[in-house]
PDB file of all heavy atoms in Angstrom:
ATOM      1  N   ILE V1488      23.963-132.113  31.051  1.00  0.00           N
ATOM      2  CA  ILE V1488      22.507-132.029  31.108  1.00  0.00           C
ATOM      3  C   ILE V1488      22.016-130.906  31.963  1.00  0.00           C
ATOM      4  O   ILE V1488      21.160-130.119  31.601  1.00  0.00           O
ATOM      5  CB  ILE V1488      21.895-133.347  31.607  1.00  0.00           C
ATOM      6  CG1 ILE V1488      22.151-134.453  30.601  1.00  0.00           C
ATOM      7  CG2 ILE V1488      20.434-133.237  31.922  1.00  0.00           C
ATOM      8  CD1 ILE V1488      21.422-134.311  29.314  1.00  0.00           C
ATOM      9  N   ASP V1520      14.635-137.736  36.718  1.00  0.00           N
ATOM     10  CA  ASP V1520      15.119-139.005  36.161  1.00  0.00           C
ATOM     11  C   ASP V1520      16.543-138.811  35.652  1.00  0.00           C
ATOM     12  O   ASP V1520      16.769-137.993  34.707  1.00  0.00           O
ATOM     13  CB  ASP V1520      14.148-139.406  34.988  1.00  0.00           C
ATOM     14  CG  ASP V1520      14.433-140.862  34.571  1.00  0.00           C
ATOM     15  OD1 ASP V1520      15.443-141.425  34.988  1.00  0.00           O
ATOM     16  OD2 ASP V1520      13.593-141.444  33.861  1.00  0.00           O
ATOM     17  N   LYS V1521      17.436-139.496  36.256  1.00  0.00           N
ATOM     18  CA  LYS V1521      18.869-139.351  35.888  1.00  0.00           C
ATOM     19  C   LYS V1521      19.172-140.006  34.522  1.00  0.00           C
ATOM     20  O   LYS V1521      20.118-139.657  33.826  1.00  0.00           O
ATOM     21  CB  LYS V1521      19.794-139.939  36.913  1.00  0.00           C
ATOM     22  CG  LYS V1521      19.625-139.267  38.280  1.00  0.00           C
ATOM     23  CD  LYS V1521      20.016-137.850  38.306  1.00  0.00           C
ATOM     24  CE  LYS V1521      19.905-137.248  39.675  1.00  0.00           C
ATOM     25  NZ  LYS V1521      20.187-135.816  39.695  1.00  0.00           N
ATOM     26  N   SER V1522      18.326-140.984  34.139  1.00  0.00           N
ATOM     27  CA  SER V1522      18.542-141.683  32.852  1.00  0.00           C
ATOM     28  C   SER V1522      17.565-141.140  31.792  1.00  0.00           C
ATOM     29  O   SER V1522      16.411-141.567  31.683  1.00  0.00           O
ATOM     30  CB  SER V1522      18.329-143.184  32.997  1.00  0.00           C
ATOM     31  OG  SER V1522      17.019-143.439  33.557  1.00  0.00           O
ATOM     32  N   ALA V1523      17.963-139.993  31.168  1.00  0.00           N
ATOM     33  CA  ALA V1523      17.068-139.330  30.245  1.00  0.00           C
ATOM     34  C   ALA V1523      16.852-140.195  28.983  1.00  0.00           C
ATOM     35  O   ALA V1523      17.711-141.026  28.600  1.00  0.00           O
ATOM     36  CB  ALA V1523      17.632-137.989  29.838  1.00  0.00           C
ATOM     37  N   LYS V1524      15.700-140.027  28.385  1.00  0.00           N
ATOM     38  CA  LYS V1524      15.291-140.795  27.195  1.00  0.00           C
ATOM     39  C   LYS V1524      15.590-140.076  25.916  1.00  0.00           C
ATOM     40  O   LYS V1524      15.258-138.898  25.762  1.00  0.00           O
ATOM     41  CB  LYS V1524      13.804-141.143  27.286  1.00  0.00           C
ATOM     42  CG  LYS V1524      13.316-142.016  26.130  1.00  0.00           C
ATOM     43  CD  LYS V1524      11.812-142.280  26.309  1.00  0.00           C
ATOM     44  CE  LYS V1524      11.306-143.163  25.152  1.00  0.00           C
ATOM     45  NZ  LYS V1524       9.870-143.381  25.299  1.00  0.00           N
ATOM     46  N   ILE V1525      16.216-140.735  24.935  1.00  0.00           N
ATOM     47  CA  ILE V1525      16.470-140.141  23.640  1.00  0.00           C
ATOM     48  C   ILE V1525      15.270-140.359  22.761  1.00  0.00           C
ATOM     49  O   ILE V1525      14.853-141.457  22.538  1.00  0.00           O
ATOM     50  CB  ILE V1525      17.753-140.729  22.951  1.00  0.00           C
ATOM     51  CG1 ILE V1525      18.942-140.461  23.822  1.00  0.00           C
ATOM     52  CG2 ILE V1525      17.939-140.148  21.589  1.00  0.00           C
ATOM     53  CD1 ILE V1525      20.297-141.050  23.283  1.00  0.00           C
ATOM     54  N   ILE V1533      17.015-135.338  23.721  1.00  0.00           N
ATOM     55  CA  ILE V1533      16.926-136.049  24.961  1.00  0.00           C
ATOM     56  C   ILE V1533      15.855-135.380  25.824  1.00  0.00           C
ATOM     57  O   ILE V1533      15.843-134.158  26.044  1.00  0.00           O
ATOM     58  CB  ILE V1533      18.243-136.018  25.719  1.00  0.00           C
ATOM     59  CG1 ILE V1533      19.392-136.693  24.911  1.00  0.00           C
ATOM     60  CG2 ILE V1533      18.137-136.676  27.115  1.00  0.00           C
ATOM     61  CD1 ILE V1533      20.732-136.499  25.507  1.00  0.00           C
ATOM     62  N   GLY V1534      14.852-136.247  26.290  1.00  0.00           N
ATOM     63  CA  GLY V1534      13.780-135.677  27.101  1.00  0.00           C
ATOM     64  C   GLY V1534      14.136-135.809  28.566  1.00  0.00           C
ATOM     65  O   GLY V1534      14.301-136.945  29.022  1.00  0.00           O
ATOM     66  N   VAL V1535      14.321-134.710  29.277  1.00  0.00           N
ATOM     67  CA  VAL V1535      14.749-134.714  30.675  1.00  0.00           C
ATOM     68  C   VAL V1535      13.536-134.306  31.527  1.00  0.00           C
ATOM     69  O   VAL V1535      13.020-133.201  31.363  1.00  0.00           O
ATOM     70  CB  VAL V1535      15.910-133.745  30.918  1.00  0.00           C
ATOM     71  CG1 VAL V1535      16.353-133.845  32.357  1.00  0.00           C
ATOM     72  CG2 VAL V1535      17.084-134.061  29.958  1.00  0.00           C
ATOM     73  N   ARG V1536      13.132-135.178  32.406  1.00  0.00           N
ATOM     74  CA  ARG V1536      12.002-134.902  33.322  1.00  0.00           C
ATOM     75  C   ARG V1536      12.506-134.128  34.566  1.00  0.00           C
ATOM     76  O   ARG V1536      13.436-134.544  35.207  1.00  0.00           O
ATOM     77  CB  ARG V1536      11.316-136.185  33.752  1.00  0.00           C
ATOM     78  CG  ARG V1536      10.638-136.908  32.611  1.00  0.00           C
ATOM     79  CD  ARG V1536      10.043-138.251  33.080  1.00  0.00           C
ATOM     80  NE  ARG V1536       9.107-138.105  34.170  1.00  0.00           N
ATOM     81  CZ  ARG V1536       9.333-138.554  35.366  1.00  0.00           C
ATOM     82  NH1 ARG V1536      10.440-139.181  35.714  1.00  0.00           N
ATOM     83  NH2 ARG V1536       8.417-138.391  36.348  1.00  0.00           N
TER      84      ARG V1536
END
Side-chain angles (χ1 to χ4, degrees):
I1488 292 293
D1520 193 347
K1521 300 299 182 181
S1522 56
K1524 180 180 179 181
I1525 298 180
I1533 299 173
V1535 183
R1536 294 174 58 247

